Amino acid sequence: MKFTFHDVRSQTYKARDAWWTVFLVDPLAGRLVVGTANRTSVTPNQITWGAFALGLGSAWCFLRAEWSWLVAGAVLYHLSFVLDCMDGKIARLKGTGTVLGGWLDYVFDRIRVLACTIALVWGQYRVTGDDVYPLLGITVVFLDMLRYVDALQIAKVRREMRRRVRRAYCESSGDPAPLPRVLLREDPDDDPDEIRVRLAAAVDLQEEFRSRFSWYPRLREWLRAHRIRTHLMSGIEFQMAVFIVGPLTGAIVPVTIGAAALLLLFEAAIMYKLLLSSRDLSRVLAVIRASG
């Protein structure tokens, strides 16, 4: 079976992704996936190892500290990330993904960030003697850990919110069937399924947030139309700022500090949004129980 670029886009692209991935990675990775899937027997795990090797090569370049080596390290880091995106696409395209492969991909990502951080800051510290670089390294490692741990916990909290809504619906209606899918969406009105209007309007865990920031839905819809996540400074963009933009511009310290500030700002926004959702959850549960 010959795969086309359309197959890759329709079967492997995420509905929403980091803007760096959408604009600067997928156009290349998608086309490389077509050739790799059609002309080779390379497995996703082999690509994962290749991405890891390039990541270590990037770290070695960063350790050399000179600007030409920093450029080489930035290029290798980007290519490593391109391969990192290819392994999952090929796995989804061919149906060859494994639990081990997903674990390997995640662990290698964290090792790559750690290795490149140590190499980058140590190389610069060795050349300049500036104490800001060790502090910068600690900050990068901490924020990378914070972003990915926080993402897992936020997903866990949101699943728990949906479980509580489902449980309340089943208890109020006496129906053990799963909660209608529309009731689990952030925007119930977008789904054409016909359900009780009162419940459909009630199960909106973003109502208070949208009421305070009326411009947000329009921005979100525009970003969604371009496959971009609303979390514009996620772990991916933070990494690219530190290991690509900073080295290429020769402005490692200001770029890293700026990216760190933006990452913390977006994390704070997510926490605030989650707080408002918790208030909406209490309202939703009360309305569902009252309608039973």
Side-chain angles (χ1 to χ4, degrees):
M1 176 181 178
K2 290 292 184 179
F3 299 104
T4 66
F5 184 59
H6 174 74
D7 294 330
V8 174
R9 292 187 62 179
S10 62
Q11 298 178 37
T12 72
Y13 279 21
K14 296 177 182 177
R16 284 179 290 167
D17 213 332
W19 62 262
W20 186 282
T21 302
V22 171
F23 293 128
L24 300 176
V25 177
D26 276 350
L28 174 60
R31 288 167 172 80
L32 290 176
V33 166
V34 175
T36 303
N38 287 332
R39 300 173 186 174
T40 74
S41 57
V42 174
T43 67
N45 283 353
Q46 289 171 336
I47 295 176
T48 301
W49 278 98
F52 183 60
L54 284 180
L56 294 182
S58 175
W60 185 82
C61 291
F62 288 149
L63 194 58
R64 303 296 295 271
E66 296 175 6
W67 185 76
S68 59
W69 284 106
L70 293 179
V71 172
V75 171
L76 284 180
Y77 196 90
H78 184 69
L79 292 177
S80 172
F81 188 70
V82 170
L83 287 184
D84 193 33
C85 290
M86 285 178 61
D87 57 7
K89 286 178 169 54
I90 289 181
R92 290 189 290 273
L93 190 66
K94 291 187 170 183
T96 56
T98 63
V99 175
L100 176 62
W103 174 85
L104 199 66
D105 184 55
Y106 181 83
V107 170
F108 279 180
D109 283 350
R110 306 281 63 76
I111 295 176
R112 177 178 59 189
V113 170
L114 179 61
C116 286
T117 301
I118 293 173
L120 183 64
V121 299
W122 176 250
Q124 294 302 304
Y125 177 72
R126 181 167 46 83
V127 170
T128 66
D130 194 336
D131 291 337
V132 71
Y133 286 103
L135 295 176
L136 211 62
I138 294 172
T139 301
V140 170
V141 172
F142 170 76
L143 290 180
D144 180 74
M145 175 195 70
L146 174 66
R147 167 82 283 267
Y148 284 92
V149 169
D150 195 28
L152 293 174
Q153 290 305 310
I154 288 174
K156 181 179 178 180
V157 170
R158 286 175 175 167
R159 285 195 299 270
E160 177 59 25
M161 285 182 173
R162 290 193 291 269
R163 278 195 292 267
R164 292 186 65 180
V165 172
R166 182 183 298 110
R167 190 181 309 120
Y169 174 81
C170 293
E171 290 174 354
S172 67
S173 65
D175 184 0
L179 188 68
R181 182 182 175 187
V182 65
L183 298 184
L184 300 181
R185 296 169 60 89
E186 290 187 356
D187 298 301
D189 294 338
D190 290 344
D191 194 293
D193 293 347
E194 294 184 2
I195 62 172
R196 286 184 292 172
V197 175
R198 187 178 181 187
L199 283 178
V203 185
D204 179 3
L205 300 183
Q206 304 297 330
E207 180 179 354
E208 187 171 351
F209 183 83
R210 280 197 291 266
S211 68
R212 297 189 180 203
F213 304 96
S214 58
W215 50 265
Y216 174 74
R218 292 191 297 274
L219 173 63
R220 184 188 59 191
E221 290 308 312
W222 185 90
L223 292 173
R224 282 183 172 181
H226 294 81
R227 287 202 312 117
I228 301 172
R229 293 187 305 213
T230 53
H231 194 176
L232 297 178
M233 181 54 74
S234 67
I236 290 175
E237 286 85 5
F238 179 66
Q239 289 179 38
M240 302 312 158
V242 174
F243 302 122
I244 296 180
V245 179
L248 285 179
T249 60
I252 294 172
V253 173
V255 168
T256 300
I257 291 175
L262 286 174
L263 180 64
L264 288 173
L265 178 64
F266 273 89
E267 291 302 303
I270 290 175
M271 294 299 99
Y272 179 65
K273 189 177 180 182
L274 197 62
L275 172 64
L276 296 183
S277 291
S278 68
R279 298 177 182 176
D280 286 325
L281 176 64
S282 298
R283 174 188 58 79
V284 165
L285 294 178
V287 172
I288 290 177
R289 288 164 182 158
S291 65

